[in-house]
Each structure stands twice: as structure tokens, then as C-alpha cells.
């Protein structure tokens, strides 16, 4: 229950007239906001979009990235921009387009991204380039607008419209030494120690699933169905 005295004090504070200094400060902030909106409207819209997306799940707001991968003679783009799942994309000409167009290599459904917004291109002995395809809202690398192809560096921050992500490059591979057999045995033992717990969890979940589908179906938690799910998990 609200305290009547506290409510009365709060109402009295609201009723107090603003001093001249307080009024000047608020008018000054208002003028600053108007200037920002006139000259950086898209930036403020992005801030508002972030505020409106505060209820999104952690997966949807996780770090977005595109990574160029060169492995021998093979070149790939690895990214989680598509359905929030990391995927590796190969293209015969080593050119990956990005935009709202369904035929784009990376189709992004965002109204601030053009149908054919930009493209990644790999040039042998040089690296990965990002090219703006005369997009409406521009392509930016580390905050700078680009109007032609720019050679990307590891860790560059890229923004297309309202989509922001980090670009990584992996061009070097290293063959590591085998670990000692004692260490391998220890790792294997620790992993297998957790196996019975996982088996019980999978068996219980399997039983609940089948019971929901057919409540009259008899089920032993250690039957072939549980073994199937364990095999699919690689255990």
C-alpha cells in the first residue's frame, strides 16, 4: 500500500516551479537533441532500436561476426549472421554478396539494408575486400564510410545499415604436437565420469517424450530409444 505522506511529498516536489538555471539546462539539452536528430537521425534511430530490442533473448544479441577462412586452396566465409547459427559458406568465385535479396550469399532481412548492399571478395595473395554496392544507407568500416573496395583487417568493425559485426581473418594453420598419453588418459577418464549422469538425463528425457506422444506405451529408460539418442550425441 502506498504511504499517503510519501505520495503527498512527491506531488509537492512535482508542483514546485523550475528555477531559471534548471529551465536553461533543460532547454539546452532539448536544443542538443534537436541538432543531433537533424544531423545524425540514423544514429539516434539505431539507439532507439537497441532500446526496443532490450527484451530479445541472449542468442539474438550475441556477438555477430564474419570470418574469412583460407585453408590450403580452399576459401570460406564463416558467419553467424544467418539464423544465429554458425555456418561456413563457400563460393566458386570467392565472392559473397550480402543484402535483402534472396539470391544474396548472405540474405539479411533488415529494412535499412539494400537488396544488394555489399560484397566480400577474396583476392589471392592480398586478402578479403569489402565492396559497397551503391547501397542506400552506406557501408562503414571502423566508423568510416567506404565508397569502393577496402582491404579488411583482422578485428575490423563493419556496419551495413543498422547491422554491425566484427570481421576476423584466419589464413594460417599450425600443426600442434600430440599431447602426452597420460594427459589423454586423464581427459578421457574425466569425460567418461560424467557419462552415467548424461545417460540418466537422456533416458529420463526420452521417457518423458515418448510418454507425451503415447501415454500407454511401455518404456524402459535403458531401451534402444535412449541408446539412439546417446549415439546421436556421439557418446
Amino acid at each position: 500500500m502506498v504511504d499517503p505522506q510519501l505520495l503527498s511529498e512527491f506531488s509537492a516536489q512535482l508542483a514546485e516551479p523550475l528555477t531559471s538555471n534548471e529551465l536553461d539546462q533543460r532547454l539546452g539539452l532539448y536544443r542538443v537533441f534537436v541538432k543531433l536528430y537533424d544531423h545524425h537521425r540514423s544514429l539516434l534511430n539505431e539507439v532507439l532500436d537497441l532500446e526496443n530490442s532490450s527484451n530479445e533473448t541472449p542468442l539474438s544479441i550475441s556477438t555477430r561476426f564474419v570470418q574469412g577462412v583460407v585453408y590450403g586452396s580452399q576459401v570460406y566465409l564463416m558467419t553467424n549472421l544467418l539464423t544465429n547459427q554458425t555456418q561456413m559458406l563457400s563460393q566458386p568465385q570467392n565472392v559473397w554478396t550480402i543484402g535483402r535479396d534472396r539470391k544474396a550469399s548472405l540474405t539479411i532481412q533488415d529494412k535499412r539494408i539494400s537488396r544488394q548492399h555489399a560484397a566480400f571478395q577474396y583476392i589471392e595473395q592480398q586478402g578479403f575486400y569489402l565492396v559497397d554496392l551503391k547501397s542506400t544507407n552506406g557501408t562503414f568500416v571502423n566508423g568510416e564510410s567506404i565508397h569502393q573496395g577496402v582491404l579488411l583487417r583482422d578485428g575490423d568493425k563493419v556496419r551495413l545499415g543498422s547491422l554491425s559485426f566484427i570481421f576476423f581473418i584466419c589464413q594460417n594453420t599450425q600443426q600442434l604436437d600430440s599431447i602426452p598419453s597420460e594427459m589423454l588418459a586423464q581427459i578421457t577418464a574425466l569425460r567418461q565420469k560424467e557419462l552415467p549422469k548424461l545417460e540418466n538425463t537422456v533416458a529420463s528425457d526420452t521417457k518423458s517424450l515418448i510418454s507425451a506422444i503415447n501415454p500407454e506405451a511401455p518404456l524402459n529408460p535403458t531401451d534402444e530409444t535412449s541408446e539412439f539418442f546417446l549415439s546421436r550425441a556421439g557418446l
Side-chain angles (χ1 to χ4, degrees), residues 27-38:
L27 287 175
L29 289 175
Y30 173 74
R31 294 190 185 99
V32 170
F33 180 83
V34 170
K35 288 182 179 180
L36 283 173
Y37 192 75
D38 287 340

Side-chain angles (χ1 to χ4, degrees), residues 60-78:
S60 63
I61 58 175
S62 60
T63 301
R64 297 179 174 92
F65 75 92
V66 174
Q67 181 173 13
V69 180
V70 180
Y71 186 74
S73 60
Q74 301 297 316
V75 181
Y76 307 93
L77 277 191
M78 183 181 296

